Every structure is written in structure tokens, then in C-alpha cells.
Amino acid sequence: MTDLDDALKELPRSVDPFALTLHRHNLELKRARTTILQVNVALLCNLTCKHCHLEAGPQRSEEVMNLGTMEKVAAFAERGSFEVVDVTGGAPELNSNIVAFIELLAAGQKTVMFRSNLTILTDEKRRELLESCCRHRVAIVGSLPSLNVNQLEAQRGSGVLEKILTALKRLNSIGYGQPGTGLQLDLVCNPTGAFLPSSQHGTERKFRFDLQKKWGIVFSNLYTFANVPLGRFRQWLSASGNIDKYMEKLASSFNPCTLEGLMCQKLVSVSWDGYLYDCDFNLAAGIPLGGARNHVSAMEGPPMPGTPIAVSDHCYACTAGAGFT
């Protein structure tokens, strides 16, 4: 069976494979200059969010990047002259070597972003991590899908809103999100069901007003993302009978103008065991960079501009409406 046959088998009859949609619009997805290195330091997480495309969770305790691989990733960041290193997970806080990794990256004078679900970032066990983030001006990107407690806890688990608010207040108290401090605190908001996100501008305005008025919390920027039909979210879509409807919604919202700003054109993603992918979603789908498993230690530098990017039906999530980034 060919790749196209596989794609047709997975998609509703009304939805064309993403590659065919690109072809119909006379478009190709190729790399620009790759400036961002995204590093997934663990699939281990304290939460089991229903929308998680990586299916991260507490049971994945063996899938954690070790210090040796971190050193190889930091060396690759130097060889490749990456401008930004985006640290993500799972919950990257749970990697016991995370402070050492931040220090390695900072020694190479890299701009570092740290993604967090916020629920354990300010745990006393993370004091050293938070001090390192402050010292090196690491930007913190926190996930906050909703301010509605019922919606949020249905997606992420009981009690998470209170923990997130506690974390945001703590981050504000040490300068994160406060104007003039240089400590950036961004929020990421994604829908809590099988629908596309509301406008980024309107959602940011509502979050800024509600967080300030109810809890005195401030932040730098907010970004809205569509949920990607992979992993645990895809399982939920299938179990709830929403998969065909969701794929049709994504495909019918395809916007060719989004291709110019797609993150996969300037980002390469590294898995916890050091292998490279075009993006975090191809990592989740098991589609390696260039069609073969390439370890970070064997790469001389980032993929060359003009290199084709592997696509699949989940790419509809990044190209629907206003796009992913």
C-alpha cells in the first residue's frame, strides 16, 4: 500500500490529502533559513491532557533526554548557529538535568524559550530552575487553554486552574510579564474541543482583561493554536465521533497565505533521544526529517534552505484560518 493509499484510508472521503491540496494550489513547502532549534527534553509529564498530540504523561518516565544527549544538542546548536532554542516536553521541569541544559545553552549565548504547563514550574523543587531562567532571561511560554474552570479541568485535570494562577502570580512577582523587566511571559491558548480557535487578538484582549481584573496577573503576549489531530487528541476525536467533522473543518479552512509563516520553514525539532524532525507534529507522527532517522550528533548543521518539508494530513491544523503562528 502506498503513502497516498494510507492517507486516503485515514481521511474522510470529502477531504483530499494535504499534499494534493498543496499541488492543487501550485504550492510547495520548503525550508527557509532554519534559525530555531526545538528540543523535546521529555515525554514525561505530570498531566495527561486530552489535547496532547505527543501523548505525554506520568507513565512515560523512561522517555527523558539524558545529559549526554543534551550536550550533543547544545553542540549542534553551536554548529548550526541557531538563534533560538525552544525547550519543550512533556513537562521539561521533570527532567533532572534541565538546569544543566539551560546553563549549557546560555554559555553558548543562545536565546532560550522554556515551555511549561505552569502547574509545577514554581514548585519548591524547581527553585534552581526558576533562578536559572531569570538569570539568563529565558522566555517562559505557559499553556493556558481556558479561563473557564470547567472547560480547563475537563481538558487537563482537576485543580489545574488554581495551580496555574498561583504560578502566574509567582512569575509576576519576580518580574516575568512585567513591562521593562526583560522577562517575557507568553501564554498559549488552544480550544478545549473539536473546533478552531477564536481570533488571537480578541482572545488576548479577553485574557488580559480577565486575568488583570480577577487576579491581578499580567503577561507579555498570547498566541492561539488549533489542536492537531494526532496522539491523544486524535484518539478523543475518533472515540467521540468527531474525527471526520474536524478534519473536514480543518481542510475547508485551508488558507494558502499561511504557508509563508509556518514554523516548520525555520525550525527543526529534536526528540528526547536526539533524532531530528521537521516539526513537533511530524515528531509525534513518527515522520523523520528527510525520510530517515538522523541523530543530532551526526548533523553538521541545520537543513539547507530549499529542502522539502515532509507533510501529512495533520498539516491542515497549521494552515487553517489564520494559521498556527
Side-chain angles (χ1 to χ4, degrees):
M1 183 173 283
T2 67
D3 292 344
L4 179 59
D5 290 333
D6 284 336
L8 290 171
K9 183 180 177 182
E10 293 290 331
L11 289 169
R13 295 174 66 86
S14 57
V15 176
D16 290 330
F18 185 77
L20 183 58
T21 295
L22 286 183
H23 180 72
R24 183 178 298 120
H25 286 81
N26 197 28
L27 294 170
E28 292 181 285
L29 195 51
K30 294 184 177 181
R31 286 196 165 273
R33 188 169 78 88
T34 303
T35 57
I36 303 171
L37 178 62
Q38 184 180 65
V39 189
N40 191 313
V41 297
L43 293 179
L44 176 64
C45 189
N46 61 318
L47 302 178
T48 52
C49 300
K50 291 182 178 177
H51 68 284
C52 184
H53 58 278
L54 287 164
E55 301 182 70
Q59 79 283 4
R60 306 194 73 167
S61 58
E62 300 298 319
E63 293 156 296
V64 177
M65 184 175 284
N66 60 38
L67 185 56
T69 303
M70 287 178 165
E71 290 170 345
K72 291 180 174 65
V73 170
F76 178 54
E78 286 302 296
R79 286 197 305 278
S81 301
F82 291 94
E83 297 172 3
V84 177
V85 182
D86 176 3
V87 179
T88 186
E93 298 93 331
L94 293 178
N95 187 311
S96 59
N97 297 306
I98 192 62
V99 175
F101 190 44
I102 296 292
E103 296 295 324
L104 273 174
L105 297 172
Q109 300 183 326
K110 298 301 176 188
T111 297
V112 182
M113 293 170 53
F114 187 91
R115 297 183 188 246
S116 172
N117 66 38
L118 297 172
T119 59
I120 55 171
L121 179 61
T122 57
D123 185 297
E124 275 304 304
K125 296 178 181 177
R126 324 297 165 198
R127 176 183 291 274
E128 188 181 4
L129 169 62
L130 205 51
E131 289 174 350
S132 178
C133 287
C134 279
R135 186 165 58 251
H136 298 299
R137 295 290 187 263
V138 172
I140 293 178
V141 182
S143 176
L144 180 49
S146 174
L147 292 177
N148 180 295
V149 63
N150 293 326
Q151 291 179 356
L152 182 63
E153 295 191 351
Q155 186 184 63
R156 308 189 70 184
S158 178
V160 293
L161 180 59
E162 184 176 344
K163 292 178 180 176
I164 288 171
L165 294 174
T166 299
L168 291 173
K169 289 177 181 176
R170 172 80 183 281
L171 290 169
N172 276 179
S173 73
I174 60 175
Y176 269 100
Q178 302 282 7
T181 63
L183 294 172
Q184 191 160 332
L185 172 60
D186 293 334
L187 299 180
V188 172
C189 176
N190 56 293
T192 54
F195 48 89
L196 298 182
S198 303
S199 83
Q200 183 164 287
H201 179 71
T203 303
E204 177 174 316
R205 186 170 53 190
K206 176 174 172 49
F207 272 55
R208 198 175 294 283
F209 178 83
D210 287 351
L211 284 170
Q212 172 75 63
K213 182 178 181 181
K214 295 180 181 178
W215 299 288
I217 292 169
V218 296
F219 59 92
S220 306
N221 304 288
L222 180 143
Y223 302 100
T224 57
F225 294 159
N227 289 320
V228 180
L230 290 169
R232 201 174 288 133
F233 185 62
R234 189 177 189 95
Q235 293 166 18
W236 176 81
L237 288 170
S238 296
S240 62
N242 281 298
I243 183 66
D244 286 0
K245 184 179 178 183
Y246 189 66
M247 291 307 304
E248 288 167 354
K249 186 175 299 181
L250 292 178
S252 65
S253 303
F254 174 74
N255 178 0
C257 296
T258 61
L259 260 69
E260 187 176 344
L262 290 181
M263 64 176 179
C264 56
Q265 295 188 79
K266 58 183 180 181
L267 173 149
V268 65
S269 190
V270 184
S271 61
W272 67 271
D273 51 356
Y275 289 92
L276 294 168
Y277 298 81
D278 281 308
C279 69
D280 195 42
F281 307 119
N282 279 3
L283 187 162
I287 304 172
L289 179 79
R293 280 168 62 82
N294 291 295
H295 196 268
V296 67
S297 59
M299 294 288 288
E300 293 184 1
M304 295 295 291
T307 304
I309 295 169
V311 299
S312 189
D313 61 342
H314 59 261
C315 300
Y316 277 121
C318 291
T319 54
F324 202 93
T325 55

